[in-house]
Amino acid sequence: VLDKVNLAEVLAGMSDHWMPRVVAAYNDDTVQVLKVKGEFVWHKHDGTDDLFIVLRGSICVQLRDGDVAVGPGELFVVPRGTEHCVRAEEEAEVLVIERLGDTGAEADARVLEAEAELRWSR
Amino acid sequence: VLDKVNLAEVLAGMSDHWMPRVVAAYNDDTVQVLKVKGEFVWHKHDGTDDLFIVLRGSICVQLRDGDVAVGPGELFVVPRGTEHCVRAEEEAEVLVIERLGDTGAEADARVLEAEAELRWSR
C-alpha cells in the first residue's frame, strides 16, 4: 500500500529557510514543502505554473503588478512566465507544486541551487 | 493582480457531497475542493495521478491492496492507473488536483457526471 504524507510532521523536521523538501510526485511535477522567511529572489518559470498553498503563517507573493498577501489555508497560482518574488516577514510554511527544470533563463544561482537540491532529495 | 483563493471560504459556500468546485488551474490540471461523505465509486484515471490533501475531517482512500486513512493536513497521491474509491464516515473537506478527461474506460456514470460538472464550473 502506498504512503500518505503528514505535511506538519515533515515540516517539524526541517529548520532551514528556502530549502524545499520533496514530499511527493504528481504527474511530471514535484510537491514540495518549505519554510520561508525573508525574501527570495525575483524569477519566473517559462514552462510551468507555480502553485502555492500556505500551511502556516503568511507570505507576500510580489508580482511586477503588485503584491498578493496569501495567508493560512489560502492558495495562489503564479502563471508560467510571470515574474515573482516571495517574501515573508515572519517564518511561514508553504506547499509548492511546480515542474522542475522549467526555470527561466533569468533565474539566478539561488533558484538553480534550490532546484538542484530538489533533484537530489527526490 | 491575480487572485488568491481562500479554501475554507469556498467550502463554506458549498453543501452537496461529491460535487467538486474548481478553484484554480495549474498547468493542464484542475485544482478542486469538495465535501465528501459516504462512499464514491471505484474508478481509475489512466492518464493522470490524483492528488488529495485533506483540509478537514478524515477520508479513507480504498485501494485494491488495502486502505489508506488520510487525516487533516495529510497528502496522498493515487498514481495513474490505480483503482481507488474514497470513503468518509463523517463529512470531510478535500482538495484534489487532477487532469480532467483522463478518466479510464472503467469509470461509471457518476465519475463522468462529476467531470462534466467540473468542465461547466471551470
Side-chain angles (χ1 to χ4, degrees), chain A residues 50-54 59 61-63 67-70 74-79 84 95, chain B residues 1-5 24:
Chain A
D50 223 355
L51 181 147
F52 294 86
I53 297 175
V54 175
I59 64 173
V61 181
Q62 302 173 89
L63 305 172
D67 295 351
V68 182
V70 189
E74 293 184 335
L75 173 149
F76 184 69
V77 178
V78 177
H84 60 284
L95 179 138
Chain B
V1 173
L2 299 154
D3 277 340
K4 64 179 174 181
V5 178

Side-chain angles (χ1 to χ4, degrees), chain B residues 78-122:
Chain B
V78 177
R80 65 184 70 191
T82 302
E83 285 186 290
H84 59 284
C85 176
V86 171
R87 192 181 68 214
E89 305 294 329
E90 303 294 330
E91 183 180 270
E93 295 178 345
V94 184
L95 179 139
V96 176
I97 305 181
E98 63 186 359
R99 195 160 299 162
L100 292 189
D102 273 319
T103 304
E106 288 83 358
D108 80 358
R110 195 160 165 198
V111 178
L112 297 174
E113 230 175 80
E115 283 219 340
E117 187 75 25
L118 286 176
R119 289 178 189 288
W120 260 100
S121 64
R122 213 169 182 174

Side-chain angles (χ1 to χ4, degrees), chain B residues 51-99:
Chain B
L51 182 147
F52 294 87
I53 298 175
V54 174
L55 302 172
R56 190 175 64 81
S58 293
I59 64 172
C60 175
V61 182
Q62 302 174 88
L63 305 172
R64 293 301 186 189
D65 288 346
D67 294 352
V68 182
V70 188
E74 293 184 334
L75 173 149
F76 184 68
V77 178
V78 177
R80 65 184 70 191
T82 302
E83 285 186 290
H84 59 284
C85 176
V86 171
R87 192 181 68 214
E89 305 294 329
E90 303 294 330
E91 183 180 270
E93 295 178 345
V94 184
L95 179 139
V96 176
I97 305 181
E98 63 186 359
R99 195 160 299 162

Side-chain angles (χ1 to χ4, degrees), chain A residues 68-117:
Chain A
V68 182
V70 189
E74 293 184 335
L75 173 149
F76 184 69
V77 178
V78 177
R80 65 186 68 191
T82 303
E83 285 186 290
H84 60 284
C85 177
V86 171
R87 191 181 69 213
E89 305 293 328
E90 304 294 330
E91 183 180 271
E93 295 177 345
V94 184
L95 179 138
V96 177
I97 304 181
E98 63 187 358
R99 196 160 298 162
L100 293 189
D102 273 319
T103 305
E106 288 82 358
D108 80 356
R110 196 159 165 199
V111 179
L112 297 175
E113 232 174 76
E115 283 219 341
E117 187 76 24

